[in-house]
Amino acid sequence: MKLIFFLLVMVFPISTYAEGLLDCNKYMAEKKYTEAYSVCKQSCYDNYASSSCVSLGELYANGDGIKQSYENARKSFEKACLFGDFNGCQFLSYMYIRGDGVNKNENLASIYSDHACSLGKGEACYELASIYASSEYHKKYDKELMLLFIKKALQRGCDLKHQKSCDTLKKVYQ
């Protein structure tokens, strides 16, 4: 009896999680956005599947199969980022850089890019270096310190095999 209880409590949620995640990815790949919405939402909110939260955020941001809502996109990306998904963090950074449904905020953009970079997304490291190189940061901080931060971010991106980071880093040292 204990074995049956264990299986119901431990194995069933894992299989439900995997099925929801697979269905979400499948519908997104097939561009069946209406079906993807309901499956991704359930997988994100009920099963805490971070990549489903990212997909849900993309649906909201783009208005694919549902009404566009940057507010709901931001919430979905925040949830994904909180769950440790570097794509969720990076999409948040992009929202704050562009001002998509939020006030433009380079500080928040840099925080989210830095987090995505630390989670292993080389593109985010490059984006972080770009934010540091922006004119707003140069107005606020010492240029030598900012150059050090830029080099560090590019090196992290290069270490993560992001070619654009490596190429830019070479130019910085020339």
Side-chain angles (χ1 to χ4, degrees):
M1 187 65 156
K2 287 182 181 180
L3 178 62
I4 293 171
F5 178 75
F6 174 78
L7 290 173
L8 286 174
V9 172
M10 297 304 290
V11 176
F12 181 71
I14 292 170
S15 66
T16 303
Y17 170 89
E19 288 170 14
L21 182 60
L22 291 174
D23 288 343
C24 175
N25 293 339
K26 175 184 159 214
Y27 289 135
M28 289 295 287
E30 294 173 353
K31 299 185 186 316
K32 294 182 177 178
Y33 299 124
T34 305
E35 294 90 341
Y37 171 73
S38 61
V39 173
C40 293
K41 185 174 182 181
Q42 182 177 2
S43 183
C44 172
Y45 284 89
D46 294 347
N47 299 327
Y48 311 106
S50 63
S51 64
S52 293
C53 296
V54 171
S55 295
L56 183 62
E58 289 180 282
L59 290 170
Y60 280 124
N62 298 327
D64 290 329
I66 58 172
K67 184 179 177 188
Q68 184 180 41
S69 170
Y70 286 123
E71 175 68 17
N72 288 332
R74 182 188 55 77
K75 288 177 183 178
S76 297
F77 294 144
E78 283 176 348
K79 187 177 279 281
C81 186
L82 181 66
F83 294 156
D85 190 295
F86 54 66
N87 288 314
C89 300
Q90 190 60 27
F91 282 130
L92 277 171
S93 177
Y94 292 148
M95 288 184 80
Y96 283 104
I97 288 169
R98 295 186 302 247
D100 291 342
V102 296
N103 292 327
K104 285 185 177 186
N105 187 324
E106 282 187 330
N107 288 328
L108 283 175
S110 69
I111 290 168
Y112 287 119
S113 282
D114 185 50
H115 191 56
C117 176
S118 69
L119 290 170
K121 183 145 178 108
E123 178 184 333
C125 303
Y126 178 81
E127 188 62 41
L128 181 60
S130 297
I131 294 169
Y132 288 152
S134 75
S135 60
E136 288 303 311
Y137 266 84
H138 277 280
K139 289 178 188 173
K140 295 178 188 176
Y141 302 105
D142 178 74
K143 290 184 182 188
E144 287 182 36
L145 181 61
M146 291 317 307
L147 184 59
L148 180 67
F149 287 165
I150 291 166
K151 288 177 182 178
K152 183 179 177 186
L154 291 171
Q155 185 62 58
R156 286 166 56 195
C158 189
D159 292 345
L160 292 168
K161 310 290 189 249
H162 184 255
Q163 191 59 47
K164 201 169 183 181
S165 293
C166 298
D167 295 343
T168 305
L169 187 61
K170 287 178 190 174
K171 290 177 185 176
V172 168
Y173 280 110
Q174 289 178 350

